[in-house]
Amino acid sequence: MSKRFYVTTAINYVNGQPHLGHAYEEVVADVIARSRRSLGQEVFFLTGLDEHGQKVQQAATAEGKPPQVYCDQLAVDWLAFTKKLELTNDDFVRTTEPRHKEFVQAILTQLHAAGHFYKATYTGFYSAKEETFLTDKDRRPDGTFDPSYGEVVELKEDNYYFKLKDHQQWLIDYLEANPTFVQPDYRRNEVLGFLKNTTLEDLCISRPAARLNWGIPLPFDPGYVTYVWFDALVNYISIPAAHGDQTVLAESEIGNRKSEIALWPADLHVIGKDIVKFHAVYWPIMLKAMGLPLPKQILAHGWWQKDGSKIAKSTGNIVDPIAVINEWGLDAFRFYVLRELDLGPDGNWTDAGFRSRYQAELGNGLGNLVNRSLSMLKRYRNGIVPTPSSELAADAQKVIADTARLLEQNQLQGALLSIWQLVTRANLYVEQNKPFNLAKDPAQSARLDEVLYNLVETCRVLAVLLNPFLPGTSAKIYAQLGLPGSPEKFELAAWGKLSAGHAIGEPAPLFPRKEV
Ligand code: MSP
């Protein structure tokens, strides 16, 4: 059984409706999953929900609902959201599912038995909002704590700790030896800088059930539930275990469970920049303690703002991805977020920017190219493909090779830029060759055949290249070309696959003009 390319997103807290930031991360992971499938790899794409912990409990209480009821209701919306985005995820984890909870408990039992935990009394400060313990080191120069921590209270309580400290030097060495483990480089440097300049505190992995009971009970002490992050990170292996992945199953389980799949180690964890520490510090150490291999890469994307300010429900500064999709179509949304923002830096959503990319790049660029190419073939040649010609083949081949390479490096914005070189080239080819003039002169008939072939074949190649990004548009182009299915395999991009005599379908605008 060959190992699949295993890509994950962060699992989202179910304390509200999905917003632009969540949609972005899901679309990034989906394009990566689709690209890898297109390039011939077997893929497993996992996303889902983080349902335990204080944030979710508080949100449920605010609505007067038991947490499980609250989560079950919201999970319906989040699942619908994956459909709205046309995500190709292979599973959807909810951390309240037995398959996950049982696995987390098994790991806790194993790590406890192996001596990785100890119990101690903590006296200090606690941020309920961030569910995190704070020390004097976290104070700002004026002595206060950052407002993002919400109310900070003094606390004295017994808890279980995971010995992180012991592994600090090992992790530094690992990051030094594996420069692509955390990407982009500046995030890796931040993690390394942090590890070299701070002594890691051991990680508190429990919360007294008397204070917070919305969590997975510690199997070795019923007075406590598991810290939400310890629970959440484990989803990346509990789901492979549920599918019978031998790498993550305990000795005792192997043989009992049918092995259906090989997933772990993950190839890629796609996450936001705010949760790098959890993924690049806690998670590798947890895995090391469990004796499991580390994921191959953690890719941290930036954060979106809207109109230059933080996205926040409280101020009404939000982008509702569902409303945008309903108005402009899914592919316009997917295109804008991936074209506008490279993976890494922060981005800024503006409605004007969105409209301008829609009109210029999608409408006048891609849409116009496809529409006029196909319409001219209809008008001048009855929709019948002429003899193959390869005037644009070299341009297409360069773009195909560049795009494949960029997709393999998860350079999604770069891949779109590369694909648009071909869009621009072909639109220029129309201007240069003026097929509408050639059509008026019977002596130019052979030349018109050549030009038309190059244009429709370029449209076909574009449909293949765009498939991971704009799956709906790609399928529409194929249908308008009279070709069956949608072009999900990258190898179909090879030049010259449209054959003479093939009858295309009906052209129709891909990105209709909008009055605003
Ligand atoms: N539940 C944790 C993750 C656990 S992973 C084992 C969590 N959830 S979250 O709902 O707060 O965030 C989910 C993802 O959305 C994170 O990767 C986060 O960075 C991302 N985003 C949340 N707001 C965002 C923006 N404004 N912009 C881009 N991404 C953002 O953290």
Side-chain angles (χ1 to χ4, degrees):
M1 187 184 350
S2 64
K3 189 192 159 312
R4 295 213 205 172
F5 183 91
Y6 177 30
V7 53
T8 68
T9 65
I11 49 174
N12 301 307
Y13 286 126
V14 267
N15 58 351
Q17 293 292 323
H19 63 55
L20 172 63
H22 304 123
Y24 173 62
E25 184 171 304
E26 298 288 352
V27 168
V28 165
D30 184 59
V31 173
I32 292 173
R34 287 178 186 260
S35 306
R36 299 301 170 131
R37 288 192 202 99
S38 173
L39 289 164
Q41 276 177 287
E42 271 198 283
V43 171
F44 194 92
F45 166 22
L46 179 64
T47 185
L49 297 175
D50 189 355
E51 302 194 352
H52 289 125
Q54 190 125 14
K55 276 189 206 219
V56 175
Q57 190 179 38
Q58 277 170 350
T61 308
E63 293 206 2
K65 291 174 185 161
Q68 190 64 63
V69 171
Y70 174 81
C71 290
D72 289 348
Q73 289 172 350
L74 268 180
V76 174
D77 298 338
W78 283 84
L79 260 172
F81 190 57
T82 65
K83 304 282 177 274
K84 190 91 195 166
L85 296 171
E86 291 181 19
L87 302 182
T88 55
N89 54 305
D90 296 279
D91 201 339
F92 186 86
V93 56
R94 296 182 54 194
T95 54
T96 52
E97 292 169 323
R99 61 177 181 165
H100 173 74
K101 290 198 282 192
E102 284 159 18
F103 190 83
V104 170
Q105 290 193 319
I107 283 178
L108 286 164
T109 304
Q110 178 204 328
L111 292 182
H112 186 55
H116 289 282
F117 302 149
Y118 63 92
K119 196 174 184 182
T121 306
Y122 173 83
T123 320
F125 304 97
Y126 185 72
S127 149
K129 182 158 170 253
E130 289 303 313
E131 249 180 89
T132 187
F133 295 93
L134 300 167
T135 66
D136 284 324
K137 275 189 284 179
D138 298 303
R139 287 184 191 277
R140 298 187 294 183
D142 68 357
T144 61
F145 291 102
D146 192 277
S148 65
Y149 288 119
E151 191 193 359
V152 175
V153 292
E154 256 194 289
L155 203 76
K156 180 173 185 198
E157 71 183 26
D158 285 350
N159 268 310
Y160 287 90
Y161 290 84
F162 172 48
K163 297 177 188 167
L164 276 190
K165 255 196 222 113
D166 294 0
H167 308 282
Q168 182 156 2
Q169 190 54 47
W170 163 82
L171 186 56
I172 293 173
D173 295 343
Y174 189 85
L175 283 159
E176 302 267 24
N178 295 276
T180 58
F181 179 56
V182 179
Q183 282 295 302
D185 279 336
Y186 49 89
R187 295 285 171 226
R188 164 181 176 263
N189 295 340
E190 276 170 22
V191 176
L192 264 175
F194 164 76
L195 285 170
K196 286 178 177 171
N197 295 316
T198 0
T199 307
L200 278 180
E201 299 287 334
D202 286 338
L203 180 68
C204 180
I205 55 119
S206 65
R207 298 292 184 266
R211 180 159 72 72
L212 172 72
N213 62 19
W214 186 232
I216 301 176
L218 287 188
F220 46 85
D221 191 336
Y224 291 86
V225 300
T226 311
Y227 170 46
V228 65
W229 270 101
F230 195 97
D231 158 357
L233 287 162
V234 171
N235 92 87
Y236 300 136
I237 53 176
S238 66
I239 299 311
H243 287 273
D245 183 350
Q246 303 282 302
T247 309
V248 294
L249 287 178
E251 291 294 334
S252 56
E253 285 276 350
I254 296 176
N256 287 343
R257 295 233 213 149
K258 205 169 109 248
S259 154
E260 298 166 20
I261 218 166
L263 297 179
W264 194 257
D267 293 85
L268 193 64
H269 290 317
V270 178
I271 58 160
K273 64 173 186 178
D274 56 320
I275 54 176
V276 170
K277 185 161 108 184
F278 297 96
H279 285 82
V281 179
Y282 301 166
W283 182 226
I285 295 179
M286 285 165 65
L287 287 164
K288 175 171 183 261
M290 293 175 222
L292 291 177
L294 303 197
K296 297 199 185 118
Q297 190 171 88
I298 293 156
L299 180 60
H301 62 74
W303 266 44
W304 282 91
Q305 296 194 325
K306 179 176 188 245
D307 299 327
S309 325
K310 192 175 152 75
I311 292 177
K313 242 191 298 184
S314 53
T315 58
N317 195 43
I318 55 157
V319 178
D320 176 1
I322 296 174
V324 175
I325 292 166
N326 288 342
E327 187 176 351
W328 297 87
L330 172 63
D331 283 358
F333 177 80
R334 290 173 63 113
F335 177 76
Y336 177 74
V337 291
L338 296 164
R339 174 62 188 79
E340 177 68 22
L341 184 56
D342 194 12
L343 278 169
D346 288 338
N348 187 31
W349 176 291
T350 64
D351 291 344
F354 181 92
R355 284 196 292 269
S356 134
R357 286 202 188 280
Y358 179 90
Q359 216 174 66
E361 286 154 83
L362 293 178
N364 299 340
L366 176 65
N368 188 30
L369 172 68
V370 173
N371 199 246
R372 56 183 175 166
S373 301
L374 273 57
S375 299
M376 288 189 288
L377 187 68
K378 271 274 180 207
R379 199 172 315 130
Y380 307 138
R381 293 292 180 264
N382 250 329
I384 306 298
V385 174
T387 311
S389 154
S390 42
E391 211 167 0
L392 289 178
D395 296 273
Q397 265 142 16
K398 177 167 187 314
V399 166
I400 293 166
D402 287 350
T403 305
R405 179 178 46 79
L406 290 160
L407 288 177
E408 272 158 8
Q409 300 165 348
N410 305 322
Q411 305 228 28
L412 307 186
Q413 189 195 48
L416 278 178
L417 283 165
S418 146
I419 296 169
W420 249 259
Q421 284 178 3
L422 189 57
V423 172
T424 308
R425 174 72 187 93
N427 271 325
L428 186 68
Y429 183 79
V430 176
E431 305 309 324
Q432 286 167 339
N433 291 288
K434 302 194 174 38
F436 25 88
N437 290 348
L438 296 175
K440 292 177 197 150
D441 179 358
Q444 295 287 350
S445 174
R447 179 61 189 150
L448 179 60
D449 277 347
E450 279 174 12
V451 172
L452 291 173
Y453 185 89
N454 281 285
L455 287 172
V456 284
E457 177 61 357
T458 299
C459 294
R460 194 194 62 79
V461 170
L462 285 169
V464 180
L465 301 183
L466 285 168
N467 188 261
F469 297 91
L470 313 179
T473 303
S474 157
K476 278 187 201 161
I477 299 175
Y478 243 49
Q480 294 184 17
L481 283 168
L483 296 166
S486 53
E488 282 163 6
K489 289 287 165 239
F490 199 88
E491 63 202 23
L492 288 170
W495 185 266
K497 290 210 183 284
L498 267 183
S499 34
H502 170 79
I504 65 164
E506 278 309 311
L510 295 169
F511 302 98
R513 261 182 197 288
K514 294 239 181 204
E515 297 307 325
V516 278

